[in-house]
Amino acid sequence: MSLAEFLRILYQWQWLPFLGTFSGFYLAYYFLHVVQKPKIFGKDGPFRRFLQNECAVLSDYYWPTIWCFGAHAQTVVRALLRSRPPVPFRRETLDTPDGGIMCLDWFDHENSHYTNPLRRPTVLVLPGLTGGSETSYCRHLVLQGEKLGYRTIIANHRGFGASQLKRPQIFLIRGRKSMKCYSEHYRMLARNVCTQSNVREAVMILMNYLNEMKDADCGLIAGLVVSIPWDCAESTVSLEQPLNFLLFNRRLTGNLVRMVKSNLNVFQGRHNLYDINHVLNAKTVREFDERFTSPTFGYSNYEEYYNAASLHTKPLHTITVPVLCLTAADDPFSPLHAIPLKTIGNNPMFTLVLTAYGGHIGFIEGVMIHEQNYMDRVFAQFAKGVFD
């Protein structure tokens, strides 16, 4: 039988049982393997009981979108296809002690049922590596906060979120000074601050900040971190896998290189630190960190930088602010084996929620991906419990 005859027969009558068999196996795999309740890791205590009482979503099954439940599909579909709803931001440019600027995009929510601005709950959102207030996940979080009456601030990294650099410093994972600048500023303007952080640099800036600051000094009453890469070295290795490189690493590196290229006037005259042409030729995040990030902040190489920034070796028991961490076991940016589950279990103020699927800040669910997703629901219930 020729291939043409086989395709003709398949088209005429044999495709239906084939399609039915395939659909049956697909649905069985989805319902028996994909749909699961998240696993909860953390020491028993008041915070763990608070989550049980206030965040019912953590006890529910997570139903990833049936047609794109894989890690890469979740991550790519969320980034490329999920809607970016319009938000009437008010931009504030904040001067920093080193002569630079940081751009804060405020959603003030003047129509909130919290009529007193000083009593209106405030959510501080720290975007990821090359993200800003334009990203879909930031805007959907703003909408979730709007429904609850909250004010939201998006703290864009220097050089991103449609902002220009005045100083050669962009971000630093151990960015205690940046977080302290944020917290001192918004504490003068608002009370009851909960922070939501997503993706590599933002999460690590927040976690290192909380790890070093006492609760009375940090200016936050709670934190939610999403898709945290615990070990920078392991995260980099994962991102250099062929498919991850094509889908994620190349794009992230391109965004970083474009940021440097668009601010060349700021980086000129620093030849003692790096060769700017060598930086612009970086093809991976590792190469960019080796050629630019590490020397910029005084590290001899990327290994030293990653070791100083990574959280998997940090003493998390020193964190005294309640922190909920949401991550997926299939996150291509953060391998499962790099998560320090034993360390997490030593602090009653830190709880990890681990879903089987979800990708990297994907967590889309349902058929219509533009609706509320799992991360949105976790955020809404957690913030409501914290503020109410």
Side-chain angles (χ1 to χ4, degrees):
M1 179 184 295
S2 67
L3 178 60
E5 291 174 337
F6 173 76
L7 293 176
R8 180 175 58 80
I9 294 174
L10 187 66
Y11 176 78
Q12 286 179 342
W13 60 277
Q14 289 189 352
W15 65 270
L16 188 58
F18 172 80
L19 182 60
T21 302
F22 173 80
S23 299
F25 278 111
Y26 188 91
L27 292 174
Y29 181 83
Y30 177 79
F31 287 111
L32 297 177
H33 182 76
V34 176
V35 178
Q36 299 182 35
K37 289 185 177 182
K39 296 179 180 179
I40 313 296
F41 299 90
K43 192 172 184 179
D44 191 26
F47 182 49
R48 183 74 176 267
R49 292 190 290 273
F50 160 82
L51 294 174
Q52 292 173 347
N53 295 331
E54 301 294 338
C55 300
V57 64
L58 302 183
S59 302
D60 294 340
Y61 285 94
Y62 168 45
W63 296 74
T65 299
I66 192 170
W67 51 270
C68 64
F69 57 77
H72 299 94
Q74 283 266 325
T75 306
V76 172
V77 168
R78 194 279 310 159
L80 299 182
L81 300 183
R82 199 174 187 216
S83 63
R84 291 175 172 80
V87 176
F89 286 120
R90 171 178 63 85
R91 171 151 292 194
E92 178 185 20
T93 300
L94 182 63
D95 293 324
T96 60
D98 67 349
I101 60 172
M102 293 186 293
C103 293
L104 307 178
D105 287 331
W106 291 69
F107 175 71
D108 295 297
H109 201 351
E110 300 292 350
N111 297 324
S112 169
H113 60 273
Y114 294 94
T115 55
N116 184 351
L118 293 179
R119 304 297 301 175
R120 188 175 303 148
T122 302
V123 177
L124 173 67
V125 178
L126 306 179
L129 179 57
T130 60
S133 57
E134 77 283 355
T135 57
S136 63
Y137 62 84
C138 283
R139 293 184 173 230
H140 279 276
L141 289 173
V142 172
L143 296 186
Q144 294 300 314
E146 180 184 19
K147 295 176 183 176
L148 298 171
Y150 304 157
R151 172 198 294 115
T152 305
I153 309 170
I154 311 292
N156 300 288
H157 290 299
R158 302 186 188 194
F160 296 98
S163 64
Q164 290 294 312
L165 286 175
K166 291 183 63 177
R167 298 285 296 170
Q169 182 175 354
I170 45 174
F171 51 75
L172 179 61
I173 291 179
R174 300 186 66 199
R176 172 174 168 175
K177 291 182 179 180
S178 295
M179 271 300 302
K180 190 172 179 61
C181 188
Y182 290 144
S183 64
E184 290 179 347
H185 179 66
Y186 61 61
R187 265 196 294 184
M188 295 187 297
L189 304 174
R191 300 177 184 176
N192 302 330
V193 180
C194 174
T195 187
Q196 151 79 25
S197 185
N198 303 276
V199 204
R200 191 173 150 161
E201 268 66 23
V203 173
M204 291 184 171
I205 288 172
L206 172 63
M207 291 297 293
N208 279 303
Y209 174 74
L210 293 177
N211 203 38
E212 297 173 12
M213 299 291 289
K214 296 180 180 179
D215 56 349
D217 299 324
C218 74
L220 305 172
I221 60 175
L224 171 64
V225 294
V226 180
S227 297
I228 178 171
W230 292 91
D231 187 333
C232 292
E234 291 294 331
S235 176
T236 301
V237 171
S238 178
L239 286 176
E240 290 176 352
Q241 298 299 313
L243 185 56
N244 291 339
F245 171 77
L246 290 173
L247 293 177
F248 311 124
N249 201 327
R250 186 170 59 175
R251 182 181 180 186
L252 287 173
T253 308
N255 289 340
L256 291 167
V257 168
R258 280 190 290 274
M259 182 279 301
V260 173
K261 188 177 296 185
S262 65
N263 293 278
L264 278 179
N265 60 310
V266 178
F267 301 111
Q268 290 175 347
R270 295 172 64 87
H271 304 296
N272 59 316
L273 290 179
Y274 42 71
D275 180 347
I276 197 65
N277 291 322
H278 196 43
V279 172
L280 296 179
N281 287 324
K283 303 301 181 184
T284 66
V285 173
R286 185 200 300 265
E287 290 181 355
F288 185 86
D289 287 339
E290 172 71 19
R291 301 174 186 182
F292 180 81
T293 314
S294 299
T296 297
F297 296 108
Y299 295 100
S300 59
N301 51 51
Y302 75 89
E303 290 100 335
E304 183 181 347
Y305 173 53
Y306 287 172
N307 184 62
S310 294
L311 297 168
H312 71 294
T313 58
K314 297 294 193 300
L316 298 181
H317 65 273
T318 60
I319 295 177
T320 57
V321 173
V323 175
L324 176 63
C325 175
L326 173 64
T327 192
D330 65 348
D331 188 339
F333 285 62
S334 181
L336 181 60
H337 66 266
I339 301 177
L341 297 178
K342 291 183 179 180
T343 304
I344 291 171
N346 293 331
N347 188 348
M349 300 301 285
F350 192 97
T351 297
L352 171 70
V353 177
L354 183 69
T355 60
Y357 292 84
H360 188 68
I361 60 168
F363 299 105
I364 56 178
E365 58 186 354
V367 177
M368 302 301 294
I369 63 173
H370 303 301
E371 303 299 327
Q372 186 182 51
N373 68 10
Y374 188 77
M375 181 179 73
D376 296 337
R377 293 197 291 134
V378 171
F379 162 74
Q381 293 186 14
F382 179 68
K384 189 175 187 301
V386 168
F387 289 133
D388 294 349

